[in-house]
Amino acid sequence: RFGATPRRALASPRALWPRDNGRRRRSMNGGSADRGGNSHGAHSSSSERTKLQTSASSGLRAQAETLREQLNALDTRREHLIKHRPTGAKRRSMQEVEALIRAKQEEMERSTLTIKEEKQRLLEMKRMKDDARQAAEWESDFEDVRNKRSSLTESLRAVFADLDAARDASSRAEAAVELGLSPEAVVERKLSPSAELRELLSSAWMRKRLRAEYAVVVRSDRAAKAVRVFGEPEGVEAAGAFVAGMGPVGVARIKVDEENLSLLIGRKGATVEALQEESGCSVELRRKELTVVLAGPAEAVVALEARIEHLLLTQRRVELKLSYDPEQKGRLLGKGGATVQRIQSQSGGATLDIGKGDDATVRVSGPAHAVETARVAISRLLSLDAESVRTVAVPEAVALAVLGRGTERLKLPEGVCADRAGDSAVKVRGSRAAVEEVVREIEAAVAANERVEETLEVESQHVSMLLGKGGQAMFAMQKETGANIALSKQADGKVMQTATIKGTRRAVGKALAALEAVLQYNADCSEKIEVKVEFMPFVIGKGGEEINRIRAATGAAIDAARNQHGNEIFIRGSAEAVEAAKRAISAVEDANRRVTESVPMPWHCIDLLLGPNAERLRQLEAEHSVQLELPGVSLASDVPVRTTFLGISSSMSIRGRRKHVEAAMAEVTALSRKHQREETVLLEEDAELLSRACLQDEGLLPGLEARFGVSILFEPLSNRIVFRGEGYLAAQIEVQHLLSQWRPSEAALDCPPFQMALLHRREGGLLLQLQCLVAPALLALQECPSMVLLTAAAPVLSGARAKAEAWIQEHAECSREVQVPPEVAAILSPRLRMLAAQHQVDLEMRGSAVAVHGPEVCVAGVQAELKELIEQHAITEVSVALVEPELSLVELHARAIRASHLGPKGGSQSKGGSQPGISIDVRRSEGLVVLRGTRKPIAAAQGEVAALLEEARSCAHREELSVVQMERLLRPASRAAGAEPFYRKLQESHHAVLHLDRVGRTLTLFGLPAAVQSVQQALASALDVCEERRQVALATIPIIIGRAGANIKRLQQESGASFDIDRNAGHVRVYGSKAAVAAAVAALDALLVEHGGSSELPVKAKQVPLIIGRGGATIRQLESDSGATITVSKDDGVVRVRGSKRAVDKATELLQQLLSGGGANGAKGANGTKDAHGANGQNGANDNGAAVRGAEPPPGLTSAAPARRAVA
């Protein structure tokens, strides 16, 4: 195969690589670090091993190149041999040729040939011999080339295998160093994804995500179109499952320019990071190609591409200018600038710059979408696009009542705004219709709030009606209307008084309407009626109560007046109110007329009506203010009643006012109905039935009495029953109905032969059972035809018949089979005889089923007991669907749950013998917990799992983590190689689940309350880590470090925190415990405040030599006097001063004095001094300037440090 396509085989050397080369792999991995060593030693060993592997790989590559050159030379030789291969009609071996020559020589000896023929044959034999020799030599050379090529190919295969092993070992060692593991603990998995998925896995974002979530390292092999994953077995397996379950992956490329590329990156990469985190796709920005490559789930890539295009479209920075009226500036600003700040915050990045003074413009700048949002908000707030603008005059006297302090009292529709235009006007903007409506409301409010005064003449007799009791009616009217009502005093000889109403026009109008409603002076209808003198007090009532009631009920005004003929009543109001008042007054008159009425005499309850010595009758007269006359005597006399009332009239008379007489008649009639009496004589057999029923149910007659509201007296000896009360007739009918039901009757029921045989069976006792069931009915059996006879009263017979029919139906013949599992058959077989006798059925084991024959009810009972035994001893399996971290919690507690359901010897003891315990299988890939065992332990274990999860959910705790805290939890718990992460150790030691979301950087604690509290206490100390980042000026970096690192060491020792300083970018990172970081940051701030001041002083070029002095003497003297560092830059003409605030101020003052003494130019230059004290001051001298270190260096720097001389 290799000889046919040598170059193609060498072009893809992986086809020649063997899967394993144990000896060479062991030799290359022989120098691996000890798993028990510390992490630093492991890392050092890995680095040394990597170097050795690199040098070995170089030698192997050189060896492979040499072998490849030799193989190419052999291929050239092989092609040459193939090209010059001997040709002939037939290819014979040397032995065949020699045999053929001998045969030809023998033939020549036997035949007679001419010399010419003999010469030809000899030449032919020589040619054959030469051809055979050349072919043998060619075969020998070709075989030699083939053997050498095979040997070289095997050697090259071995070298390629060694290179592959070296590359694998190097990659594994690098992954181990990156993951902080030993190489022995790292495994590798090779993935062959699609081109799109390979593009995604090759991105830095996805590699970082897999590193954070699964603790794996991903390497992309573009030549082999594969991806290799390194890490611990669990992480590699989880990462492989994650990659396999990603679904369709898409890749998109977007061409952008430099500006849009910077926009996508954002401040310190914040925008591209946010896009990646929110979309779940990788975003790779390629500056050279000006291309953005998106890779991720297909749908997410499409959505992200649209989002980026929208982002590029809307994030363009624009600026516009809006004009408004001067009176609207306050509305735009808001209280304390609140409105402007709200618009800026809601716009999403727009900045509003409002003109000062009389400038009524606002400049809006920022991203396009934010500027547009702010413009819409401002236009809506100020109604800049209003169709109509109206100015309405509002008198200053009512401006506060109509408008308020601003315009807050106006009810403005949406899209309309109003602003005060001076003290007596308001300007309204909006749509034409809305503005007109608001203007009308303002004008109406102005008119309504105008102060007016009205008077009303009131008759003196109506004043009391207006005032009410204690003036309450007048006070309530003033409070309701908001007007002030004052009544003048009554003058001598005048019947009219004046009511003065003051207030706003609206309040005065409401008050006048209220007064008219009471007085009814302008009523539509007015009438006068006469009332007899005797009825007038009843019409007026006590304290006017009755006439006021009629006024309130009818709504009419009613006045009463006296004259010589009687009393007159005047009624004013609407026609309906006047008629209602007349009817009410007539009703009062009619109810108070004196009448005499007759009522039937209640002889059956005369004793109750009279009472002892007629006291009840006198009480009735006093209660109703009437007189009662019994037939033959008047109770008004003192003559005692001595008569039997027999043969006297059957009615009595009641005299008095109509309303009282009607009430007394109603009470007498109710008494008569309540105590009506009826007597009935029963037949002897009915009396006996009723007596027996009363003996059996003592509450029978009391129940009837309570049901019908009567009293019942039963005399069994005389067969009499007496009913007394209003419902006597219904009670009498009910008693007759009950007696008809209690008379005995007979019923016959068909009984099938099977049930009849059961009843005749002696050992069963079923006949006695049926007799007890139908009691108190009597039971008898009839053979031909087969029937059951019942005898009882009608109410009892129906129930007994239903019970007997149900019994016959339940005991119908029935046959069933119950399937029995193999593990239960051995337990069930010994019990069959006992169950058959207990349930009176026939039981037989037939293979894997039990046959049951007998009465249906008995068959159902034994079938239920058989199923209970099967459920108790059969093995079942229950699956519970859970999610993380519930699966982890169940896995932690699985051993305890199993132990709680094990007996003393591994099985729970039950009535039927020993049962195996349960097994708990947690299947993470399916999200299931599978419980296997018998029914009761499974149910109990399922309940325990549910209770465990419910209690864990109630106390689940979630908290956010910083990057440092996340790294602390993922870090190995010990320095030993292959040690598990710290969070897993906490999880196992505290029996609580620690679920880490590496993308969202959150930690969820899930477990029992005690376990969660315990792990929280452990985490409080373990996660006491913090990190602070500060941006400082580059000039302050030497101050922070100090001479030979003195300052930074002092800060670390005093605070206990660690520092990382980026000299080029000016970044300072402080990390450690929270208290240490806080102390370190405070000390760093104090150091920068103390030694981080700076100042700049612009000077002219001719003043520079004056500041430096001869040989730098002046500038050194200034530094010595002030303690600051002074740098002179000749290029930009600036003198920079750096040091503590006090030293900078002193040096600035000395420089100003020096320049002032040097002439007007110096003075002029001194006026331009600008101070820039603070930790973030300006940098020191540039490359063309000069600086001399001052006399007071910051801590850590001594005055002996080399000084930088100024250059004049």
Side-chain angles (χ1 to χ4, degrees):
R1 183 172 70 252
F2 297 130
T5 55
R7 297 193 181 278
R8 184 176 303 171
L10 290 176
S12 180
R14 281 185 171 272
L16 308 179
W17 293 348
R19 296 300 300 170
D20 191 13
N21 190 334
R23 179 181 60 81
R24 295 179 181 272
R25 194 180 299 273
R26 283 193 297 272
S27 66
M28 295 186 67
N29 293 338
S32 60
D34 185 9
R35 297 176 64 89
N38 56 29
S39 60
H40 184 270
H43 285 260
S44 300
S45 300
S46 300
S47 302
E48 294 174 359
R49 184 165 47 250
T50 302
K51 294 178 181 179
L52 293 174
Q53 291 166 353
T54 303
S55 60
S57 299
S58 301
L60 289 172
R61 291 193 189 94
Q63 184 179 356
E65 190 62 30
T66 302
L67 291 174
R68 192 173 294 166
E69 292 176 358
Q70 296 176 4
L71 193 60
N72 290 337
L74 286 176
D75 289 338
T76 304
R77 174 64 178 165
R78 180 173 175 273
E79 292 175 0
H80 176 75
L81 289 175
I82 293 174
K83 186 176 181 181
H84 296 85
R85 183 174 185 175
T87 59
K90 293 183 180 179
R91 297 185 59 186
R92 299 183 180 92
S93 64
M94 198 66 181
Q95 291 79 7
E96 293 176 348
V97 171
E98 290 178 353
L100 185 59
I101 290 174
R102 283 195 297 271
K104 285 184 178 292
Q105 288 176 350
E106 292 175 358
E107 183 181 357
M108 288 175 62
E109 290 176 357
R110 289 193 301 270
S111 61
T112 303
L113 299 174
T114 63
I115 297 173
K116 187 177 180 179
E117 291 176 347
E118 185 177 356
K119 188 180 290 186
Q120 289 178 350
R121 292 199 176 185
L122 290 174
L123 290 173
E124 183 180 354
M125 286 188 288
K126 182 180 179 183
R127 192 184 305 112
M128 290 174 58
K129 193 171 183 179
D130 292 340
D131 291 342
R133 185 177 65 254
Q134 290 178 2
E137 291 176 356
W138 187 91
E139 289 288 347
S140 176
D141 292 343
F142 193 82
E143 185 65 23
D144 183 47
V145 170
R146 180 184 298 171
N147 293 335
K148 289 182 179 180
R149 192 177 188 286
S150 298
S151 176
L152 287 176
T153 301
E154 290 298 326
S155 300
L156 191 59
R157 190 193 303 273
V159 171
F160 284 157
D162 292 340
L163 279 173
D164 192 13
R167 187 179 60 84
D168 292 345
S170 178
S171 300
R172 186 177 289 103
E174 292 175 0
V177 172
E178 187 173 347
L179 296 174
L181 302 172
S182 63
E184 292 78 6
V186 176
V187 299
E188 176 188 356
R189 179 175 180 179
K190 185 178 179 181
L191 306 177
S192 298
S194 61
E196 291 80 6
L197 183 56
R198 188 166 65 254
E199 183 75 31
L200 175 61
L201 295 177
S202 301
S203 64
W205 175 79
M206 179 54 71
R207 292 199 302 270
K208 183 178 179 182
R209 178 179 177 183
L210 293 175
R211 170 73 174 84
E213 292 186 9
Y214 302 103
V216 296
V217 175
V218 179
R219 294 286 186 267
S220 178
D221 191 345
R222 297 185 182 273
K225 297 183 180 180
V227 175
R228 303 163 69 193
V229 184
F230 298 92
E232 293 181 304
E234 295 180 359
V236 170
E237 187 67 26
F242 168 74
V243 173
M246 289 188 68
V249 177
V251 176
R253 290 173 172 80
I254 304 174
K255 286 289 185 179
V256 295
D257 53 18
E258 283 287 350
E259 181 181 356
N260 289 336
L261 194 63
S262 302
L263 179 63
L264 286 178
I265 295 174
R267 184 179 179 84
K268 298 182 180 180
T271 304
V272 69
E273 290 182 3
L275 289 174
Q276 291 181 138
E277 294 298 330
E278 294 173 6
S279 64
C281 302
S282 72
V283 181
E284 186 177 356
L285 306 177
R286 300 178 180 176
R287 285 188 176 276
K288 293 183 179 180
E289 305 172 8
L290 293 179
T291 305
V292 180
V293 181
L294 312 179
E299 296 181 358
V301 167
V302 173
L304 180 58
E305 186 176 8
R307 180 177 177 184
I308 290 176
E309 292 178 353
H310 180 265
L311 179 68
L312 297 178
L313 180 64
T314 58
Q315 290 295 326
R316 293 181 297 106
R317 296 194 64 83
V318 296
E319 180 178 342
L320 61 86
K321 183 177 180 181
L322 300 175
S323 300
Y324 54 88
D325 292 341
E327 63 270 9
Q328 293 180 301
K329 179 171 288 189
R331 176 183 293 273
L332 179 59
L333 285 172
K335 187 175 181 180
T339 305
V340 171
Q341 294 176 3
R342 176 178 59 82
I343 293 174
Q344 289 184 146
S345 61
Q346 292 177 355
S347 66
T351 302
L352 274 64
D353 185 11
I354 299 176
K356 298 180 180 180
D358 297 335
D359 185 8
T361 60
V362 56
R363 287 181 174 83
V364 187
S365 60
H369 74 283
V371 170
E372 179 62 20
T373 304
R375 187 196 67 79
V376 172
I378 294 172
S379 299
R380 187 177 301 161
L381 176 68
L382 303 181
S383 297
L384 298 181
D385 302 328
E387 293 180 357
S388 175
V389 179
R390 288 280 303 275
T391 301
V392 185
V394 179
E396 191 173 353
V398 297
L400 184 62
V402 175
L403 303 176
R405 292 188 178 275
T407 58
E408 63 272 9
R409 291 197 177 183
L410 293 179
K411 295 181 180 179
L412 300 174
E414 187 176 357
V416 177
C417 70
D419 299 289
R420 295 284 290 268
D423 296 333
S424 59
V426 61
K427 187 176 290 186
V428 185
R429 298 174 178 84
S431 63
R432 194 177 304 280
V435 168
E436 292 297 330
E437 181 182 354
V438 172
V439 169
R440 285 195 297 271
E441 291 180 359
I442 293 174
E443 292 174 349
V446 170
N449 284 277
E450 186 180 358
R451 306 284 300 181
V452 296
E453 179 179 335
E454 296 286 344
T455 59
L456 179 66
E457 296 296 327
V458 181
E459 295 181 15
S460 298
Q461 62 176 344
H462 297 154
V463 170
S464 59
M465 183 170 58
L466 287 179
L467 292 175
K469 187 176 182 180
Q472 292 181 357
M474 179 65 73
F475 178 75
M477 189 180 299
Q478 291 183 114
K479 185 177 181 180
E480 182 180 356
T481 62
N484 183 21
I485 305 174
L487 288 170
S488 64
K489 294 183 179 181
Q490 184 178 8
D492 295 338
K494 291 186 177 181
V495 295
M496 303 296 289
Q497 291 180 235
T498 302
T500 304
I501 305 103
K502 298 179 180 179
T504 63
R505 187 178 299 277
R506 183 182 301 172
V508 169
K510 292 172 65 177
L512 288 173
L515 291 172
E516 176 61 26
V518 175
L519 299 175
Q520 297 284 349
Y521 284 167
N522 301 319
D524 297 338
C525 182
S526 177
E527 289 193 19
K528 178 180 71 173
I529 61 173
E530 291 187 359
V531 179
K532 292 183 179 181
V533 176
E534 59 179 309
F535 294 126
M536 199 65 180
F538 299 106
V539 174
I540 301 299
K542 185 178 181 180
E545 180 180 355
E546 184 65 21
I547 196 169
N548 287 334
R549 184 188 65 79
I550 296 174
R551 287 169 178 165
T554 62
I558 304 174
D559 298 330
R562 297 176 182 273
N563 57 20
Q564 57 184 355
H565 303 290
N567 293 331
E568 294 179 344
I569 293 180
F570 299 91
I571 307 173
R572 299 184 305 277
S574 63
E576 294 82 3
V578 169
E579 288 299 324
K582 288 167 64 177
R583 287 194 298 271
I585 293 172
S586 298
V588 172
E589 290 179 345
D590 187 60
N592 288 280
R593 296 181 191 278
R594 288 192 169 275
V595 296
T596 301
E597 298 286 347
S598 297
V599 65
M601 189 71 181
W603 293 109
H604 56 278
C605 60
I606 190 66
D607 54 341
L608 299 175
L609 178 63
L610 294 176
N613 295 326
E615 289 181 1
R616 179 72 185 91
L617 199 61
R618 295 180 185 277
Q619 182 181 358
L620 187 63
E621 287 183 332
E623 287 178 357
H624 296 283
S625 301
V626 297
Q627 287 183 340
L628 294 145
E629 291 185 1
L630 298 179
V633 64
S634 174
L635 294 181
S637 65
D638 295 333
V639 180
V641 179
R642 294 192 178 107
T643 178
T644 60
F645 295 95
L646 296 176
I648 305 178
S649 173
S650 61
S651 64
M652 57 185 295
S653 299
I654 304 175
R655 292 197 305 272
R657 301 193 182 279
R658 183 181 296 279
K659 59 183 179 181
H660 300 151
V661 170
E662 290 176 354
M665 288 175 64
E667 187 169 348
V668 172
T669 303
L671 181 65
S672 174
R673 290 179 179 176
K674 185 177 181 181
H675 296 89
Q676 272 184 311
R677 184 176 183 277
E678 179 68 21
E679 181 177 336
T680 304
V681 179
L682 302 175
L683 297 175
E684 292 239 2
E685 55 270 20
D686 291 345
E688 185 179 356
L689 286 174
L690 184 59
S691 299
R692 189 182 298 116
C694 291
L695 291 174
Q696 293 177 355
D697 185 5
E698 295 180 356
L700 176 64
L701 293 181
L704 292 174
E705 290 178 343
R707 179 180 173 186
F708 296 102
V710 298
S711 64
I712 303 175
L713 178 62
F714 175 51
E715 298 177 357
L717 297 179
S718 59
N719 299 338
R720 291 189 313 116
I721 182 169
V722 180
F723 301 92
R724 188 171 186 175
E726 188 174 355
Y728 75 93
L729 183 59
Q732 188 178 16
I733 295 173
E734 181 66 20
V735 169
Q736 293 295 337
H737 178 67
L738 291 175
L739 290 174
S740 66
Q741 289 183 340
W742 290 337
R743 296 185 184 99
S745 58
E746 186 175 280
L749 305 175
D750 293 333
C751 183
F754 182 77
Q755 286 89 326
M756 185 62 74
L758 291 177
L759 292 173
H760 281 292
R761 189 185 296 176
R762 294 183 178 181
E763 65 275 8
L766 296 178
L767 180 62
L768 180 59
Q769 177 186 353
L770 182 59
Q771 175 64 68
C772 295
L773 182 65
V774 300
L778 298 178
L779 174 69
L781 300 178
Q782 179 178 311
E783 294 291 341
C784 251
S786 179
M787 302 186 75
V788 174
L789 304 178
L790 299 175
T791 304
V796 177
L797 185 62
S798 60
R801 181 188 181 96
K803 293 179 181 177
E805 289 177 347
W807 188 93
I808 292 172
Q809 184 66 27
E810 290 174 353
H811 288 75
E813 187 175 7
C814 178
S815 296
R816 296 179 185 174
E817 285 191 354
V818 180
Q819 297 296 326
V820 181
E823 64 268 16
V824 185
I827 301 173
L828 187 61
S829 296
R831 300 188 182 187
L832 291 181
R833 184 176 297 177
M834 180 186 66
L835 290 173
Q838 180 181 349
H839 292 276
Q840 298 182 4
V841 295
D842 297 329
L843 297 177
E844 181 182 357
M845 181 68 77
R846 297 177 182 174
S848 62
V850 175
V852 186
H853 178 265
E856 185 175 358
V857 64
C858 301
V859 169
V862 74
Q863 186 179 9
E865 188 167 349
L866 287 173
K867 288 183 178 179
E868 179 67 23
L869 285 172
I870 291 171
E871 289 182 359
Q872 183 177 357
H873 296 282
I875 302 299
T876 60
E877 187 175 282
V878 176
S879 298
V880 182
L882 300 176
V883 297
E884 283 291 349
E886 296 174 348
L887 291 171
S888 300
L889 183 63
V890 173
E891 190 173 18
L892 283 175
H893 289 265
R895 183 178 298 174
I897 295 174
R898 284 194 297 267
S900 64
H901 298 284
L902 292 177
K905 295 183 180 180
S908 58
Q909 301 299 320
S910 66
K911 189 175 180 180
S914 62
Q915 291 182 346
I918 65 170
S919 65
I920 301 176
D921 184 15
V922 178
R923 302 176 182 175
R924 293 184 176 275
S925 59
E926 304 174 14
L928 295 176
V929 172
V930 180
L931 308 176
R932 192 173 187 277
T934 55
R935 180 175 58 87
K936 289 185 178 179
I938 285 291
Q942 194 172 2
E944 286 187 28
V945 170
L948 173 67
L949 295 177
E950 183 66 26
E951 190 173 2
R953 293 189 192 103
S954 64
C955 64
H957 176 72
R958 183 178 180 182
E959 62 182 63
E960 295 183 356
L961 302 176
S962 64
V963 177
V964 182
Q965 292 173 330
M966 179 67 76
E967 292 176 355
R968 176 68 181 92
L969 290 177
L970 294 174
R971 191 180 305 160
S974 64
R975 295 182 177 180
E980 61 183 3
F982 180 65
Y983 77 92
R984 290 186 183 173
K985 181 179 179 182
L986 288 176
Q987 183 171 282
E988 294 175 359
S989 60
H990 295 275
H991 236 54
V993 177
L994 279 74
H995 182 66
L996 290 174
D997 183 0
R998 306 189 185 188
V999 177
R1001 289 210 305 272
T1002 58
L1003 170 65
T1004 302
L1005 304 181
F1006 195 72
L1008 296 177
V1012 171
Q1013 185 177 3
S1014 174
V1015 79
Q1016 279 181 321
Q1017 294 175 355
L1019 287 172
S1021 59
L1023 297 183
D1024 184 17
V1025 291
C1026 182
E1027 181 183 75
E1028 281 283 344
R1029 295 179 181 270
R1030 289 297 179 90
Q1031 179 73 33
V1032 299
L1034 297 178
T1036 60
I1037 296 295
I1039 297 175
I1040 297 173
I1041 297 175
R1043 181 172 178 80
N1047 286 352
I1048 196 72
K1049 291 178 181 177
R1050 178 176 58 81
L1051 291 175
Q1052 290 178 344
Q1053 291 174 357
E1054 292 177 354
S1055 63
S1058 300
F1059 285 76
D1060 282 343
I1061 299 176
D1062 187 349
R1063 293 175 176 268
N1064 297 325
H1067 296 313
V1068 178
R1069 173 172 170 258
V1070 187
Y1071 57 95
S1073 65
K1074 295 179 180 177
V1077 169
V1081 170
L1084 177 63
D1085 291 341
L1087 178 64
L1088 293 176
V1089 169
E1090 182 179 358
H1091 300 284
S1094 64
S1095 176
E1096 291 186 358
L1097 184 66
V1099 296
K1100 294 186 176 182
K1102 62 182 180 180
Q1103 293 176 329
V1104 172
L1106 178 64
I1107 297 173
I1108 296 176
R1110 187 176 183 82
T1114 304
I1115 196 170
R1116 285 197 298 274
Q1117 184 64 36
L1118 290 173
E1119 289 179 333
S1120 176
D1121 294 341
S1122 63
T1125 300
I1126 302 174
T1127 305
V1128 180
S1129 177
K1130 294 188 295 181
D1131 293 342
D1132 52 4
V1134 175
V1135 178
R1136 294 181 175 86
V1137 185
R1138 182 166 57 85
S1140 64
K1141 185 176 184 305
R1142 181 178 58 80
V1144 169
D1145 292 342
K1146 180 65 175 176
T1148 303
E1149 181 181 357
L1150 293 175
L1151 283 169
Q1152 290 177 349
Q1153 292 177 2
L1154 177 62
L1155 295 176
S1156 299
N1161 293 333
K1164 183 177 180 182
N1167 294 332
T1169 304
K1170 50 181 180 178
D1171 192 4
H1173 290 292
N1176 294 328
Q1178 300 295 326
N1179 294 338
N1182 55 22
D1183 296 337
N1184 296 326
V1188 179
R1189 191 170 305 277
E1192 284 189 23
L1197 298 179
T1198 63
S1199 59
R1204 289 178 294 173
R1205 299 293 182 179
V1207 179

